[in-house]
Amino acid sequence: MDLIELQQDLAQERRRRLAAERLLEQKQAELGAANRQLSDHALSLSGQIIDQRKVVSNLKGENSRVSEDLHRAETRVVAAERLLWAALETIPDGFALFGPDFRLIAANGPYLRVFEETSGVAPGDSYQAILDICLDEGLVDLQGEDEDAWYDFMLDRWDTDDIAPTTLRFWNGMYVKMIDRRTSDGGIVSLALNITDTIAREEELRLARDKAQAADRAKSTFLAKMSHELRTPMNGVVGMADLLLGREQDDEARLYTETIRNSGDALLEIINNILDYSKLEADKVELRRAPFDLEAMTQDIVTLVAPSRQEKPITLHLDYDEALPSSFMGDGGRLRQIIINLVGNAIKFTKAGYVVLRISGQHSDSEEGVALNISVEDSGIGIPEDKRDHIFGEFNQIEDDANRQYEGTGLGLAITKKLISVMGGKLCVDSIEGVGSCFSFELNLKPVGAVPDNSAVPQLNPACPVLIWIGNRMDHHLVEQQLRSMGAEVWTAMTASEFDLALKRRRPQIAFCAIGRVEAAAAILAKSDRQIPLITVATTPDDKADLPKPFIRSDLRSALDAAICDRVPSCTDETVDHTIRVLAAEDNTTNQLVLTKMLDGLKIDLDMVGDGLQALESYESAAPDLIFLDISMPHMDGMEVARRIRKLELDSGAPRTPIVAMTAHALAGDETRIRDSGIDHYMTKPLKKELLCGHVTAVAASLGHSRTKTAS
């Protein structure tokens, strides 16, 4: 039993030992795992420590770099600040910085220098204190302004968002312009700009401008005075010459009289040119817009310049486009002056041949409606190519043997070019030396009224052509052009045989024949079996023909109407069989004589007085039918007389008496002032007899018509 028990005990002990060994192995395994974990953790902590050491090392380097950067930045800021203030100190203008409480933070030397001789201004001083110093020390010249008002004004400026600049004048004569701007924190940046030199220059310019304006006024006054003083005696010279030419004289006396008249006209032209040029130079030309008859104007012009070509073998032609209207809106007076200048210039430089005034045009896209082309062509001496620009200069003429024989101021073309430019056109010239010249310009004008209706013109049957036997090429061209516009087929005969042959073969319905070929044409017609109307065509302006020169549209219509309808157009003249009362006021005794002689022969009762007061007294004693008033008279001028007469008429209910101004005033604005005073018509001295008589006849006819109506 004992052995069995012992074996059992040994077996049990062996089991316990095995269990202990297993437990030991387990604990060893757990201890190994723990050791491994501890080792891994230690390794991890060691890496973190190494990383932290690296971070700490990096931070130490970064802190060092930041410190160095901050030091360098601070150094740069200090240098920039010093450089800024050094720059501000170098400029002559003042600079100051104020904080939001309007206390001075900093200012440069020029700003503070103003206060050197006072108690001084330093950073920390308020803006109000600085203003007090300016007033107490008399630094600012208020130029009579109240101190309190100035103080309040300077304070109120800074209360606005957009501070307006202001200029201060200091005691030493220095001018400073204050320019203030608000900063983002509510402070003020103030600039004090020294503008003393600018003010001085402005004052110099103002004085120069005043002197120039005074000189311009003096020149205008001088021109007005000289215009009046020259025109007054010129009225006597030209007027008396015209009166003498109307009397019977021997050849020598007539030559002397014509010389006086022509010299007076030449002097008057020079006066007008100088006045026109002066107005253009001063930009005082004002264009008037009013309806005017361009066709009638051009007809008047060719009639007006006729005396200037009587001594030359020159034919003057008018070529007015049949398709153009007659009336336009614009400054007819200036356009008339331009055309007269160009036509007169062409006649002046043409010894023989022709001068043609052409008016053509077409409808344009502009609001004005018609693009007019006006040209003056001549067969004169021509202009060298290198001198074409020279002729448009002031007082310029071509200096060569061909031109020295022509007198003049050299202002005509310069004035014409400037007038055309003012009216919106451009003057062009095309010329061949020794052959002739052509001056042309284009203007856009608005037509007044309808385009001419050609149905009112006697229409010619194209199947029966019109035969022209004129001879002169230019005359032939102008007549042919107008006939073709009426629908006619035109045939030309240059010789008697050609005229005879055309009568037989073409069988024309009407023939035009130059006045010098009438007898030959009549003889050919008498021998032929054709009886057609024969219209005579003038070859000179003095010829008495069915179609006189210049060939104008109305004359051609009248001639055709008379020939085709077998009647002669008639006219009715109103005759006046009663005497009208005329009051004339003129202080110059010579002009009184001229006026009296010009009105001599008319059925008038003339009352001539010597000043404005006498004119007013004469009107009050017996109201006249017509009044002629000189403008410049002693005691009372013509405009004041007119104003008083109009007031008397208004107060009494009397009818309006026509008043005509006679004046030597011819500058811009004179006519407007004269008409505004109540004067109806305006005549510039020297007076023209036909204009005077025209006013008398018009009044007489009007009175006769009204009396006839009253009697009926």
Side-chain angles (χ1 to χ4, degrees), residues 94-106:
F95 172 85
L97 177 63
F98 291 82
D101 57 355
F102 291 175
R103 289 188 176 276
L104 182 64
I105 296 175

Side-chain angles (χ1 to χ4, degrees), residues 440-499:
S440 63
F441 62 96
E442 188 173 286
L443 294 177
N444 288 322
L445 295 179
K446 184 177 181 180
V448 178
V451 176
D453 183 9
N454 286 335
S455 63
V457 181
Q459 292 298 302
L460 304 178
N461 185 357
C464 299
V466 175
L467 179 58
I468 298 179
W469 186 21
I470 297 178
N472 182 284
R473 188 177 300 276
M474 184 62 68
D475 290 353
H476 166 81
H477 168 75
L478 295 175
V479 175
E480 178 184 10
Q481 182 176 339
Q482 296 194 31
L483 287 171
R484 290 190 185 280
S485 68
M486 299 177 185
E489 180 183 357
V490 181
W491 286 82
T492 302
M494 301 304 295
T495 63
S497 59
E498 290 180 1
F499 184 80

Side-chain angles (χ1 to χ4, degrees), residues 61-75:
E62 187 69 25
N63 288 337
S64 177
R65 286 194 299 272
V66 169
S67 178
E68 291 175 358
D69 291 342
L70 288 175
H71 179 70
R72 284 195 298 268
E74 184 179 0
T75 303

Side-chain angles (χ1 to χ4, degrees), residues 310 538-545 549:
Q310 287 179 352
T539 56
T540 69
D542 298 326
D543 290 340
K544 304 298 181 181
K549 274 195 169 184

Side-chain angles (χ1 to χ4, degrees), residues 226-453:
M226 292 306 299
S227 171
H228 180 270
E229 295 300 324
L230 289 172
R231 286 175 182 275
T232 297
M234 284 298 298
N235 183 60
V237 174
V238 177
M240 282 298 184
D242 285 337
L243 291 172
L244 285 174
L245 288 173
R247 295 177 176 272
E248 292 291 336
Q249 301 181 71
D250 57 36
D251 293 341
E252 186 176 7
R254 177 166 294 276
L255 175 62
Y256 295 160
T257 306
E258 288 178 347
T259 302
I260 294 173
R261 199 268 306 275
N262 293 337
S263 298
D265 288 340
L267 180 57
L268 186 61
E269 181 180 357
I270 293 174
I271 295 171
N272 290 334
N273 282 342
I274 293 175
L275 291 175
D276 283 335
Y277 178 73
S278 300
K279 288 182 285 185
L280 285 166
E281 187 183 43
D283 293 330
K284 292 184 177 180
V285 173
E286 298 179 359
L287 298 180
R288 300 176 57 188
R289 286 182 60 85
F292 69 96
D293 192 324
L294 179 59
E295 184 176 15
M297 175 199 297
T298 53
Q299 295 171 12
D300 291 342
I301 289 173
V302 295
T303 302
L304 176 67
V305 300
S308 65
R309 54 188 166 86
Q310 287 179 352
E311 299 177 355
K312 297 180 178 181
I314 298 175
T315 56
L316 178 59
H317 306 279
L318 172 62
D319 185 4
Y320 195 98
D321 191 345
E322 184 78 19
L324 284 179
S326 297
S327 298
F328 293 88
M329 180 67 70
D331 195 330
R334 289 298 180 186
L335 184 56
R336 179 188 181 91
Q337 180 182 358
I338 291 169
I339 296 175
I340 288 178
N341 281 351
L342 292 177
V343 173
N345 199 65
I347 293 174
K348 177 180 178 181
F349 292 99
T350 302
K351 294 182 178 180
Y354 64 87
V355 173
V356 183
L357 169 60
R358 285 194 176 91
I359 314 294
S360 60
Q362 59 184 0
H363 287 273
S364 65
D365 296 332
S366 67
E367 295 181 358
E368 296 296 350
V370 174
L372 281 176
N373 185 277
I374 301 174
S375 64
V376 177
E377 179 183 344
D378 64 67
S379 59
I381 62 176
I383 306 168
E385 185 174 357
D386 60 341
K387 298 293 185 180
R388 292 180 188 174
D389 293 333
H390 176 78
I391 62 174
F392 295 111
E394 294 84 357
F395 306 101
N396 286 351
Q397 286 185 326
I398 300 175
E399 294 295 334
D400 57 25
D401 294 337
N403 283 274
R404 290 191 181 97
Q405 57 183 307
Y406 303 105
E407 298 179 353
T409 61
L411 285 174
L413 287 177
I415 292 171
T416 300
K417 182 179 180 180
K418 288 187 177 182
L419 282 176
I420 293 174
S421 177
V422 170
M423 298 180 72
K426 181 180 179 181
L427 181 60
C428 302
V429 58
D430 185 16
S431 180
I432 300 177
E433 188 174 5
V435 177
S437 304
C438 180
F439 290 84
S440 63
F441 62 96
E442 188 173 286
L443 294 177
N444 288 322
L445 295 179
K446 184 177 181 180
V448 178
V451 176
D453 183 9

Side-chain angles (χ1 to χ4, degrees), residues 14 20 97 104 127 148 151 241 372 531 613 681:
R14 192 168 46 252
L97 177 63
L104 182 64
Y127 179 60
D148 292 337
Y151 186 86
L372 281 176
Q531 296 296 324
L613 285 177
H681 304 287

Side-chain angles (χ1 to χ4, degrees), residues 51-70:
D51 291 339
Q52 289 296 326
R53 287 177 178 175
K54 291 181 179 180
V55 170
V56 170
S57 176
N58 290 336
L59 287 176
K60 288 182 178 179
E62 187 69 25
N63 288 337
S64 177
R65 286 194 299 272
V66 169
S67 178
E68 291 175 358
D69 291 342
L70 288 175

